Amino acid sequence: MSSSETDNTIIKQLADYFIDAQKADLPDNVALKTKHHILDTLAAMVSGTTLPPGEFAIKYAKLQGTSDQSQIIGTNFLTNAVTASLANGMLAHSDETDDSHAASGTHPGCTIIPPALAMGEKNQTDGKTFLNSIALGYDMCARFMRAFGGGTFQRMHGRGFSSHAIGGIFGAAAAAGTHIELDEKKVRYLLSYTTQQASGITAWQLDLEHIEKAFDFAGMPCRSGATAATMVEAGFSGVWDVIEGQNNFFDCFASEHFRSELIKGLGSHYEIMDTNIKKYCVGSPIQAPVDALLNIVRDHEVNPSDLNNMTVYLAHGDSRLTSDAQTMPDINLRYLLAVSLLDRGLSFEAGHDFDRMSNDDVVQIMNKIQVETDPSLITPESPRQGVVQFNHTNGEKFRNHVVVVKGAMEDPLSTEEVEIKERPLLEMVIGKDKTDKLIDTIWNLESLGNVRDLRELLRP
């Protein structure tokens, strides 16, 4: 089957964009922001080797056998690109360090950068292609969820679907596919095999150890996106139009959808510019309350002994992320506030210290924290605000309202601030010298001749 020059279908326009994106010159601000997210995700992958989901991912990869195609980050182990995509995706979402795109309800970096890196290594593509593949992946990850109504992706959640996995697979496939020789036919088939694998349900909310969540959010879409790309690379044929054709993806998944969102502003509006980099290595809803408390600590020089009690106001109040019963430290609001007050800051180590959750000094503070619901804190402009009221033992009351946490799309981190976040995450595994070289390489990615040259910098 072929298409004519007058074909104006959505999938034809997407195919043209995919092909052009392989060698396009990104706007300077988009290229820089993309590099920020690449470094942020690499740091999440490297630090993820120290956490249980990452350890299981590495163990799984080693059971699948060796190949010279792609590296498991943080190790010397090489395997095939599909396995590396799965394992490195789980590394990237071993905790809550990775980025997020609020409007689409996705974590793009952990689903896009691992398969792009794995396929880039496999096919020895250059740094510019790698850079472009990431920007394209962010566009597709977010746009496929926008096509289900953007912010109303909750409609999918109402049916039990998970936006994180479903949006993620399209980002993964686009990024992986950029590293093979593409023509219109191959893009159509790439999207066909991607839609057939699109899956994910919100049962991940019941995961108590972040291990299945790391697979659901990242490992699964990374694996599936890389699988689609390698199938097409191998010459597989597929369905011609899974966007608007018979029994297409959108009609099957939702009764109401907005397919035109896939191409609206494509090439002029880049979704990576609307993506958040987390200031703290904790769950997104917890960023603002931690920031508010640390503002109070800094501005009023309070200490743990000064706390009579604390009230935290969130749009949704107590939830899976703020409940006393939350067993994971990096998504337990009360624990993270307690250690932030004790340490006058929040480190990666403190955010992942299971043993410290039961320490008497921590528990004492946790018991003084109350969470209240304030629906006014969710607005279209800033959906994840937080307010902390610190009631001093001397009767004083200190209140801080964080509307936008630094690092959110409304107030992005500078290049220097990105480095400040990522350096300790990288250095604890690969050391200072390699961290320095890695950061310099990412900031100058267009001059990288072969993605495989990153390997030595991403192992101890």
Side-chain angles (χ1 to χ4, degrees), residues 4-25:
S4 69
E5 293 182 1
T6 59
D7 185 349
N8 199 38
T9 58
I10 290 174
I11 199 167
K12 173 63 165 62
Q13 294 179 66
L14 287 176
D16 290 344
Y17 190 74
F18 273 51
I19 295 165
D20 291 343
Q22 288 184 300
K23 297 300 179 184
D25 292 326

Side-chain angles (χ1 to χ4, degrees), residues 149-413:
T152 62
F153 68 84
Q154 295 291 347
R155 182 179 296 109
M156 293 189 72
H157 279 270
R159 296 178 60 192
F161 291 121
S162 175
S163 58
H164 303 84
I166 293 174
I169 188 177
F170 289 97
T178 307
H179 296 273
I180 67 175
E181 292 184 9
L182 287 178
D183 56 23
E184 179 191 337
K185 179 173 64 175
K186 288 181 180 179
V187 176
R188 287 174 177 269
Y189 296 166
L190 175 71
L191 291 174
S192 181
Y193 282 104
T194 303
T195 58
Q196 290 291 356
Q197 297 178 89
S199 63
I201 59 174
T202 51
W204 59 261
Q205 295 174 355
L206 304 176
D207 178 18
L208 298 179
E209 298 180 303
H210 214 283
I211 293 171
E212 183 178 339
K213 186 170 181 281
F215 174 74
D216 297 347
F217 274 44
M220 177 176 67
C222 286
R223 176 207 63 193
S224 300
T227 297
T230 51
M231 284 178 167
V232 172
E233 185 179 36
F236 282 42
S237 62
V239 173
W240 191 247
D241 188 350
V242 292
I243 305 298
E244 297 175 283
Q246 183 179 3
N247 298 328
N248 65 76
F249 173 65
F250 288 97
D251 288 344
C252 290
F253 266 68
S255 59
E256 184 179 7
H257 44 70
F258 309 91
R259 281 182 288 228
S260 62
E261 289 293 324
L262 291 173
I263 55 173
K264 183 179 178 181
L266 193 61
S268 58
H269 178 79
Y270 293 85
E271 295 290 346
I272 201 161
M273 304 304 290
D274 294 341
T275 308
N276 310 316
I277 290 180
K278 293 176 180 175
K279 181 177 180 180
Y280 308 103
C281 299
V282 301
S284 294
I286 299 173
Q287 300 281 318
V290 167
D291 213 31
L293 175 59
L294 291 176
N295 288 340
I296 292 172
V297 169
R298 182 189 65 248
D299 295 343
H300 302 285
E301 298 184 350
V302 294
N303 294 301
S305 60
D306 298 322
L307 178 65
N308 183 45
N309 59 72
M310 186 189 311
T311 303
V312 182
Y313 298 91
L314 296 173
H316 301 292
D318 256 334
S319 70
R320 187 182 62 87
L321 293 180
T322 63
S323 168
D324 283 330
Q326 179 52 251
T327 59
M328 289 183 281
D330 59 334
I331 52 175
N332 184 307
L333 173 66
R334 289 174 176 83
Y335 167 74
L336 293 166
L337 290 172
V339 295
S340 295
L341 179 58
L342 286 163
D343 299 347
R344 308 183 71 80
L346 182 57
S347 66
F348 176 87
E349 291 78 10
H352 298 84
D353 192 334
F354 282 85
D355 292 337
R356 198 175 177 190
M357 291 182 73
S358 59
N359 286 1
D360 290 342
D361 57 346
V362 172
V363 173
Q364 185 178 15
I365 296 173
M366 290 174 65
N367 289 337
K368 296 180 179 180
I369 300 173
Q370 181 176 351
V371 180
E372 298 287 348
T373 303
D374 184 353
S376 71
L377 294 177
I378 185 166
T379 65
E381 297 78 19
S382 187
R384 282 180 168 165
Q385 304 176 44
V387 176
V388 168
Q389 180 169 308
F390 185 106
N391 297 322
H392 200 289
T393 54
N394 66 10
E396 290 185 275
K397 294 182 179 181
F398 304 122
R399 185 182 180 91
N400 192 269
H401 180 185
V402 172
V403 178
V404 175
V405 179
K406 186 70 175 175
M409 58 171 283
E410 301 91 342
D411 188 14
L413 297 176

Side-chain angles (χ1 to χ4, degrees), residues 56-66 77 79 83:
F56 278 109
I58 293 168
K59 179 179 180 181
Y60 173 84
K62 289 181 176 180
L63 291 173
Q64 308 315 305
T66 61
F77 186 75
T79 186
T83 298

Side-chain angles (χ1 to χ4, degrees), residues 26 31 34-35 38 127-135 445-446:
L26 294 172
T34 304
K35 293 172 186 177
I38 291 172
K128 182 177 180 180
T129 303
F130 178 57
L131 181 70
N132 288 2
S133 74
I134 304 306
L445 200 52
E446 295 91 340

